Structure formats: structure tokens, C-alpha cells
Amino acid sequence: PRVAEVVANWPGAARWDTLRSTDVSSPNGPIAVTAVSDDDITAPRIFVSTDGSRDEVRLAVQNGAVLASEPLANRLGLPGRNARITLYTDDGPREFPIAGIYRDYSNSQGSVMMPLELYRQHWNDETITAALLVLKPGESVDETVEGLRAQLAGIQGVIVRPNAALRNDALISVLR
């Protein structure tokens, strides 16, 4: 919560989002779940299959549907349309409609993506895995990184990294 407070009130921030990544139980074993605070989790996705137009998918997600990655859909044999997935929530099993299947190969077992608000309605988990801070034009990335490091020092091993460093590390990993 302290990280979210610092990031939310950061001067020079254009916007910020938080993410929670965890595994939840299901009848099919553990399922990776990514819950994000972004207002529209459908916008950056490339869909393999959807239950309607992009706008219909966005509306379905806003109303409680989730997205599934292509590897998860393949692993579980999910149909391209009208798919559903059961996840064990803190209140017992719950079936979620899947509004779209998207391309994502960051996890070979696949994952479910949902709004953070939906995740927190069903799981008593206030944990944050990551926070994203987007700066206003003209703001110094280096100064922001150093300022955030100072403000967040001593909080559970929080790591502050600019996007360029994350991208570089990812490219190095791919080239190895």
C-alpha cells in the first residue's frame, strides 16, 4: 500500500497503474492470474478470438468477464467463443466468462487477465506485484527513478527501474 501511495502522488506523473500477479487454484490446477488497474486491459492486446467486437470485449470485461492467453486456451482446450473458466475464489468456485483469447507467450502455461477491481472482489488480497508510472512529457526519468528509490527505500525490497532498463534486460535474455 505504501508503494501505491507514493506512486499515486508522484509529482510529474501523467498516470499510474498497479498489477497483481499470482497463481489461483482451479479444477485444472493452478492458473496464473494477472490483475491490472488499467482502465482498459483490452487496448494493447492482439486477440486470437473474441466474443464480439473490441468494444464488446471491453464492455464484457468491465462487467466481470476475463481474458485468457492463447497458451492457456490451448492447454485447457477452451473454445474460441463463449468460453468460461472456473477459478476457486475466497468464497468458493466461481465461473468467469472469457470475453477474448489474446496472444501472449510470456508464460508457457498461459494465464487469465482481469481488472484488479474484479480480482479484489473475489480474493482477499491487497498485495501489489508491480506499479507502472507514466511521466508527463519533459519529466526526467533519471530524477524520477532516483526520487522513487529514495522514497521507497526499505520497503520489502522494492526495485525501481526505468522502462529502458526493463526492455534492455528482456532483449539480453532473448539473445542469450
Side-chain angles (χ1 to χ4, degrees), residues 46-69:
I46 297 171
F47 288 104
V48 175
S49 173
T50 64
D51 285 351
S53 69
R54 184 173 287 277
D55 285 340
E56 290 170 319
V57 171
R58 182 182 44 77
L59 185 59
V61 169
Q62 289 173 348
N63 289 313
V66 300
L67 303 176
S69 69

Side-chain angles (χ1 to χ4, degrees), residues 42-123:
T42 67
R45 309 283 160 242
I46 297 171
F47 288 104
V48 175
S49 173
T50 64
D51 285 351
S53 69
R54 184 173 287 277
D55 285 340
E56 290 170 319
V57 171
R58 182 182 44 77
L59 185 59
V61 169
Q62 289 173 348
N63 289 313
V66 300
L67 303 176
S69 69
E70 188 176 22
L72 181 69
N74 290 340
R75 181 169 68 92
L76 300 183
L78 299 173
R81 295 183 59 86
N82 302 313
R84 301 181 80 74
I85 189 163
T86 300
L87 301 173
Y88 295 135
T89 72
D90 287 350
D91 297 321
R94 175 145 192 304
E95 191 174 72
F96 294 89
I98 297 173
I101 297 171
Y102 66 97
R103 289 215 166 107
D104 177 33
Y105 302 104
S106 62
N107 177 339
S108 64
Q109 294 297 304
S111 62
V112 167
M113 181 173 285
M114 66 178 63
L116 186 59
E117 182 179 311
L118 178 65
Y119 173 77
R120 289 192 171 150
Q121 286 173 10
H122 297 286
W123 288 272

